[in-house]
Amino acid sequence: MNWIRFCFMIIMTTVTGTAVFGIWKLMAVFLNRRGCVREIRHLLIAVILFFVVPAAYVYAAWSAGVYAESTSRTLFWRTPFLVRAADVFLCVWLIGVCVNIFRIVRIKKRLQSVIRDSREAYGPEKQAVLRVRNRLQIRKQIPVYLAKTQSVPVIAGIWNCRIILPDQTYAGDELEMILEHEMRHYRQGDLFLKGICTWIRCVHWMNPLSRRLFSEVDRWGDALCDQQICRENGGRWSGKQYFEVVLGCVCRDKGEQGSVMKLGRSAEEIKERIERMKKGRSGELKKRVQAALGICFLAISSVTAAAAGKGTEIIYDAVYQATERTVEEAEQAQFVSEEYEWMPGDDITVIESGENLNMRGSSLFTWTIPEDTLRKSGEFYAAEGNQVTIMIVPEPASARTGVGLDQPNGYLRGVSGTGTYAHTFTIYESGVYSVYARNESSGTITATVTVMR
């Protein structure tokens, strides 16, 4: 993959992700009115996939024939302008990626510092964790730490999860409410999604929506936890009890802590969560409706990806044609040589390379051929009337060579010439053939042989 292809993979992926994010936002407004929090979060996962999978790039490259053995389309062909533009884009993009990686490392060190200054909980906190784990049927042991420097409960880590609580006394069921909220984040995979979004922000740092995507995972992960705690299985606690605890955990620390899930955020976000729960609707759709909704969303998103790929292809072709340079060279004499049939004698060494030719399009071989030596490719089938074009570029350029076909009748049919030349052979008899190149000069040569059929 050349640099231009890589640049367009990044650009087309971020454009597709942005378009799908916009479709999701429109659907989220409708679903939120019906209280369909779970469906909103499921569709958000699909949005994340469109930021990760370069769907538009794959579609554009496939439609332009990039993955085929040959292509006549201009997509990803290079001009001086496009090469310079790709170089500038890559430099700026790499600087942004490095800055974001530095930010990720700094945030991780800050979290490690909090953990170092904390102590593992063994008293009522550990008993409460065991009760919540059994209730949620979570097998993984998730340790709890108490930190004086932590102002709000969080769960951190993807593989080695930890719950970090402010080092204080918790009354009544407050501790269990906090622990259940955090452990539900683990159970529904919010930490893993936040980890993916962290690297999406790193790769697509030039797209402001990548940061918004990060916050939407927080928003709807919290909303789903609220709904599960207050409504599922009759609800162990009322919404009033639960949100009194949440309001006591309003986040006062504006510093970023990376891919962690906090119980409390800003007062405005907590107010939104309370208003959502006050509506009193848990509008989970029927499974058939959920499946239809998911299929419609993916279909619309896929069409959007295809449109983005096609649009990029059209724009790229226009830029290529506008920046293409035509260089006129002096007309060169055309190579003309008569074909001849022959059989190698004992003075010719024959090397069977066994390299296969592509089924269609062109094949390229680079062979080292000693003096008085003939080298042959692997066999291929050709029907009567087909044509095979062989081009040879020798090094040194003044070397005399011969190229041709090893025919089914046992004779070699070929041409000879000096320097670079090409010749088209017409197949007179259907059968199995192979291509050969022969060194007809003194000394060893290196020959680049291109076969088109």
Side-chain angles (χ1 to χ4, degrees), residues 71 167 243 267 342 428 434:
T71 177
D167 193 354
F243 278 105
W342 63 292
Y428 301 127
S434 62

Side-chain angles (χ1 to χ4, degrees), residues 111 155-162 186 191-192 259-261:
L111 182 62
I155 183 168
I158 297 176
W159 312 117
N160 298 317
C161 296
R162 299 178 178 86
Y186 166 80
L191 296 168
F192 180 72
S259 56
V260 304
M261 299 300 294

Side-chain angles (χ1 to χ4, degrees), residues 91-148:
C91 288
V92 175
W93 179 79
L94 283 171
I95 291 171
V97 169
C98 290
V99 170
N100 276 272
I101 290 176
F102 175 76
R103 178 184 59 81
I104 292 171
V105 172
R106 186 183 60 191
I107 291 170
K108 188 173 182 180
K109 286 186 176 180
R110 186 187 303 164
L111 182 62
Q112 289 174 343
S113 176
V114 172
I115 294 173
R116 280 197 304 269
D117 294 337
S118 64
R119 60 184 178 86
E120 190 169 355
Y122 290 103
E125 295 87 0
K126 191 165 185 179
Q127 296 301 318
V129 166
L130 289 174
R131 289 195 295 271
V132 174
R133 277 181 54 204
N134 292 334
R135 191 159 60 242
L136 298 182
Q137 297 181 349
I138 296 175
R139 294 182 180 180
K140 184 178 179 64
Q141 294 186 2
I142 302 177
V144 178
Y145 289 83
L146 300 173
K148 292 183 179 180

Side-chain angles (χ1 to χ4, degrees), residues 276-288:
R276 185 181 294 110
M277 295 297 293
K278 277 184 178 179
K279 291 178 181 178
R281 292 198 303 266
S282 181
E284 186 170 334
L285 301 175
K286 294 180 180 179
K287 289 186 178 180
R288 268 186 283 181

Side-chain angles (χ1 to χ4, degrees), residues 268-301:
E268 292 77 13
E269 290 177 346
I270 294 176
K271 182 180 177 181
E272 178 191 352
R273 290 162 60 182
I274 294 173
E275 291 299 322
R276 185 181 294 110
M277 295 297 293
K278 277 184 178 179
K279 291 178 181 178
R281 292 198 303 266
S282 181
E284 186 170 334
L285 301 175
K286 294 180 180 179
K287 289 186 178 180
R288 268 186 283 181
V289 179
Q290 288 182 17
L293 181 68
I295 291 171
C296 288
F297 179 76
L298 289 176
I300 295 171
S301 301

Side-chain angles (χ1 to χ4, degrees), residues 225-335:
C225 285
D226 297 343
Q227 190 178 87
Q228 290 172 334
I229 291 173
C230 296
R231 290 180 180 157
E232 286 191 0
N233 300 321
R236 289 180 60 84
W237 303 287
S238 67
K240 183 175 181 298
Q241 291 174 306
Y242 172 70
F243 278 105
E244 281 179 354
V245 173
V246 174
L247 283 169
C249 299
V250 173
C251 184
R252 301 172 183 82
D253 181 15
K254 300 299 181 182
E256 194 173 359
Q257 288 187 303
S259 56
V260 304
M261 299 300 294
K262 302 177 182 178
L263 172 61
R265 299 187 182 277
S266 67
E268 292 77 13
E269 290 177 346
I270 294 176
K271 182 180 177 181
E272 178 191 352
R273 290 162 60 182
I274 294 173
E275 291 299 322
R276 185 181 294 110
M277 295 297 293
K278 277 184 178 179
K279 291 178 181 178
R281 292 198 303 266
S282 181
E284 186 170 334
L285 301 175
K286 294 180 180 179
K287 289 186 178 180
R288 268 186 283 181
V289 179
Q290 288 182 17
L293 181 68
I295 291 171
C296 288
F297 179 76
L298 289 176
I300 295 171
S301 301
S302 299
V303 170
T304 302
K310 191 66 178 178
T312 304
E313 182 183 346
I314 293 171
I315 294 171
Y316 189 89
D317 286 353
V319 173
Y320 174 81
Q321 292 171 13
T323 57
E324 183 182 15
R325 293 181 182 177
T326 303
V327 180
E328 294 186 1
E329 296 183 353
E331 187 176 351
Q332 298 180 359
Q334 187 176 0
F335 171 80

